[in-house]
Amino acid sequence: MSIAYHAATGLFHLQTRTMSYMFQALEGYPAHLYWGRKISEGNAARLLKRVERCSFSPNPVPEDRTISLDTLPQEYPGFGSSDFRTPAYAVQLANGTTVTELLYASHEIRAGKPALEGLPAVYADKGSEAETLIVTLEDKLSGLKAELSYTVFEAFDAVIRSVRFINNSEDVMLLNRALSFSVDLPNDQFDMLQLSGAWARERYVHKRELVPGLQAIESRRGSSSHNNNPFFALLAKGATEDHGDVYGFSLVYSGSFAGGVEVDQYHTARAYLGINPFDFSWRLEAGEAFQTPEAVMVYSAEGLGGMSHTYHELYRTRLCRGAFRDAVRPILVNNWEATYFNFNADKIEAIAKAGSELGLELFVLDDGWFGHRDSDNSSLGDWVVDKKKLPNGLEDLAERVRSQGLEFGLWFEPEMVSPDSDLYRAHPDWCLHVPGRRRSEGRQQLILDLSRKDVQNYIVDALSSILGSAPITYVKWDMNRNMSEIGSALLPANRQRETAHRYMLGLYNVLERITSAFPQILFESCSGGGGRFDPGMLYYMPQTWTSDNSDAISRLKIQYGTSIVYPISTMGAHVSAVPNHQVGRSTPLKTRGDVAMSGNFGYELDLTVFTEAEKEEVKRQVAMVKEVRELVQYGKFYRLLSPFEGNETAWMFVSPDQREALVVHVAVLNEANAPLGRLKLKGLNSGLNYEWVGTGERVGGDELMYAGVAKERAHGDYFSTVHRFIAK
Ligand code: DGJ
């Protein structure tokens, strides 16, 4: 890894194991030169072919008509001084004008990676594994400064970018747009891949060809959302799962975002991602600074799969933190789909007892244990145990669960308040709202105004007192609606448009305080399933409840789509009852287990009603998970067959030393007299012989990869097969 600066040409060359990223200060304008496969040395400045274009692309340097900001590939473009493409930032000055021009002023190269104040970020474990370049740009006339930050790690083909704006003037400035990066790729020969969907249908893979104009994704919901994940990739024409150039863009942020690609008149492609400028404005007083979230830009010469490997490894080991980053995750049972709000201490203990007999390790008490919450109509904010359901309190319940040999976990939805709650009655101004306007409810709840310090402190205190009151080793942190009437009672009129971002900063502050105060607790984030499955949340909580849709067949698409960016160790996946509560489908228990095994495994059904045969199957599943969970959690994940392209899905895990592998294959619908087929495996060591567990056969890694395994003939719909291979 290295970051080199060539003073003679003003060229910066960032290198990782196999990637190069280059740009140059050209007449002060940071001009993008190259991003792709590693180039050892060289002067990519020659790539910048300067030609005079028409008068509709003006020239900032009068004596040189070959330079136009409208055609120059740039690193962090503005608007108003002759680049007409999508800008990375926009500032309104005290005199009302919106034209600024950021030019190179200085730079600094540092070992390691500085933390981002108040924001989640990828970190370096050792200073020597990463290097950071900070390029300071300046608009001399206004005093606006921007520090562009670029970090590279030797081990990861990624450039991690963010920007810090500084108002170095005597006057106030309004920052109306502050994206995390912008990059101009030299052509538009790409397909754009995005992860989009809805509640219970998150992160479906969608692909489209780039065409002139803007193609964009965004969230205006005050959270990253079920609808569009803060991620997209550009696949060079012809790139596949395993081959070809792929560029990934992922935002470490959990609020409203915007990302996209603009193809311009000369068929170059400007990609960008950051806080959504829509309804955003930040007042920068004299001397103040604003830090953008960071974006992780990954390059892969080995297709989409190569890109996913980089994100998985980087996010699993250098974004997720804490004791659970590298600890195997417990097999749990969650009572939500078993009881919903209708439970008492005896019922919970009975489920825990059944779980203990089946070999489970953790019981999670979901919604409904506090206030008088017998439905979703009330009590959010009143984090006091409901003595009607749990007469002897949480500590007693936790002890009863623990006496069955299971750890105890608890659900919260800390960011919310029910209008029917003591908290709301005492503090009606503590929720996001606009004076005089309706407070639109979602699931009969409002959102607490986390931009306020008093609200932040209330949440930290309320949760800390519960978490300190009982032996709790797991927390599920839920969040079940999006923002409307976004306003804060404490912010002045001219800062109201800061509310949504200040909320995120407040949330991150709360999460930092709580997770660091309770390091022994495994935190799982959730937002009606995967409504906030983003790198920002993963910085505080190393796993997320992937989707409220627990149907095994629906999960094929959801988990496959999620795996495009997010490590398997971050995905919660449970076996639930049939007919499934979300889609009404009945799938075999084995298939449900096989699919859930490709995630942080658990059960979400009433264990007390299992038949003897079901108990035997579950015991087999639990034993298997205990054998393979390290492989699933730390192994390399390969996608073999896409549920978005056909009736079958297959994926596999290979241990870091390539000595162990697990393959999962699911055929959705069966067909009479179906053709036979083979499944070619990936990522094995071609020189090793593997034992095919259960058959006793020995097979070479080369045979498994190049010839494959014969697919099992399905018996019925939703038929799953699992293969294990261990090198001997
Ligand atoms: C939404 C979550 O995603 C579910 O798993 C469950 O916890 C409910 N909320 C409880 O209200």
Side-chain angles (χ1 to χ4, degrees), residues 336 341 366-367 373 411 443 476 478 480 526 528-529 545 548 604:
W336 178 240
F341 296 101
D366 211 280
D367 197 353
R373 192 159 163 92
W411 178 98
R443 209 190 189 204
K476 178 176 173 188
D478 207 348
N480 281 301
C526 171
W545 177 226
D548 271 352
E604 186 149 341

